[in-house]
Amino acid sequence: MNAYEPSRRVLVTGGAGFLGSHLCERLLADGHEVLCVDNFYTGRRANIAHLLDNPRFEVLRHDITFPLYVEVDQIYNLACPASPVHYQFDPVQTTKTSVHGAINMLGLAKRVKARIFQASTSEVYGDPHVHPQTEGYWGHVNPIGLRSCYDEGKRCAETLFMDYRRQHGVSIRVARIFNTYGPRMHPNDGRVVSNFIMQALTGQPITVYGDGHQTRAFCYVDDMVGAFVRFMDSDDDLCGPINLGNPQEMSMLAIARQVIELTGSQSGIEFRPLPSDDPVQRCPDISLARSALGWEPRVSLEEGLSRTIAYFAQRVGTNPPSYRPREAQPSMGRVRA
């Protein structure tokens, strides 16, 4: 943070989750006060344990489907299960979190005149007919499928954000987040990178759905969090939506093979039927992020996977010989019940 820039009081909903915990860490490093709000449905206290001794950090257990009354300068709305395993477990609550949560956080932002960031998703594009996906593409989404609670919930949240801007003048930021990975992912969240790494480290077959030729593009968490902060602090006329992700596209089969190589695993690859409404291609066009924010990912897939493998290896008690776990972060933060 610039020496002449005052610190802010920043609310992060979903702050004990994978992305949220990294964002809290970054905001504290930048000198801000952080209020981490989480209902701990998928968030974990272990993700923020190293922040708890910092006097500028607070934790509040709260579900954002209910109103929240606090005084803050900025709001990052990250609260919502993001993996199919978790958001399909209670689809009604997933939709409530996206829609009621957005209404409550936008109401708070309106009341206290705070700028608010919405963590939207590439899932708003559904199974796209346009590739790579640009922000102007309206998507191809099944409104009644198994993934609809998340896809349509996030699409509705984007509508609410835009209407609060037009009707009430709320300062908003809407980011469409593409696949992100890194340390602190939940080991059983059912997402590609965590699945592949855990299976490789424990000697299980690597599960690839379909023929493995469907593609994704993966962004390392540090790059993504840097984009969040840069977008939040950008000029007021840049409200989004804006794609944030890594445009380097790879097939599921290629990623599985790279994980096997980096872990030194003897795991084979096991093919299973493709889940319902699973997109065949997903890759962001980040031209707007490059031109408007001067941002693009820096961490290569090999480097990011290596760091993530080291994190999971610690959790399962193995130690891939070529990679070391990241150094422990200094202890920071306090908790409020």
Side-chain angles (χ1 to χ4, degrees), residues 180-243:
T180 308
Y181 71 100
R184 299 185 208 143
M185 294 183 78
H186 196 290
N188 300 315
D189 67 4
R191 287 190 269 192
V192 171
V193 170
S194 52
N195 269 6
F196 287 179
I197 292 174
M198 287 298 293
Q199 288 168 340
L201 290 174
T202 56
Q204 301 174 57
I206 306 295
T207 304
V208 172
Y209 293 94
D211 60 9
H213 295 299
Q214 67 270 34
T215 63
R216 296 291 186 273
F218 292 93
C219 184
Y220 188 66
V221 62
D222 290 355
D223 283 330
M224 185 60 68
V225 166
F228 288 0
V229 173
R230 188 172 294 200
F231 186 22
M232 185 65 119
D233 293 339
S234 63
D235 293 338
D236 196 50
D237 57 352
L238 183 65
C239 66
I242 188 167
N243 289 338

Side-chain angles (χ1 to χ4, degrees), residues 21 23 68 70 93 122 133 167 215 232 267-268 295 304 313 317 322:
S21 63
L23 177 60
L68 179 64
V70 293
Q93 185 63 26
S122 60
Q133 292 80 61
Q167 186 171 341
T215 63
M232 185 65 119
S267 295
W295 174 87
S322 301

Side-chain angles (χ1 to χ4, degrees), residues 19 77-78 80-84 87 94 98 117-126 133-135 137-139 141 147-158 173-180 191 216 224 228 241-245 279 282 284:
L19 276 174
N77 186 36
L78 274 61
C80 190
S83 75
Y87 67 65
T94 296
S98 290
F117 175 103
Q118 167 65 4
S120 190
T121 172
S122 60
E123 296 291 340
V124 300
Y125 298 120
Q133 292 80 61
T134 65
E135 291 86 353
Y137 176 53
W138 291 355
V141 176
R147 303 168 71 102
S148 305
C149 57
Y150 186 68
D151 301 1
E152 296 287 34
K154 290 289 191 176
R155 285 163 69 95
C156 184
E158 286 197 12
R173 298 288 185 271
V174 176
R176 290 176 178 165
I177 302 166
F178 283 69
N179 295 73
T180 308
R191 287 190 269 192
R216 296 291 186 273
M224 185 60 68
F228 288 0
I242 188 167
N243 289 338
L244 298 178
R282 184 66 62 70

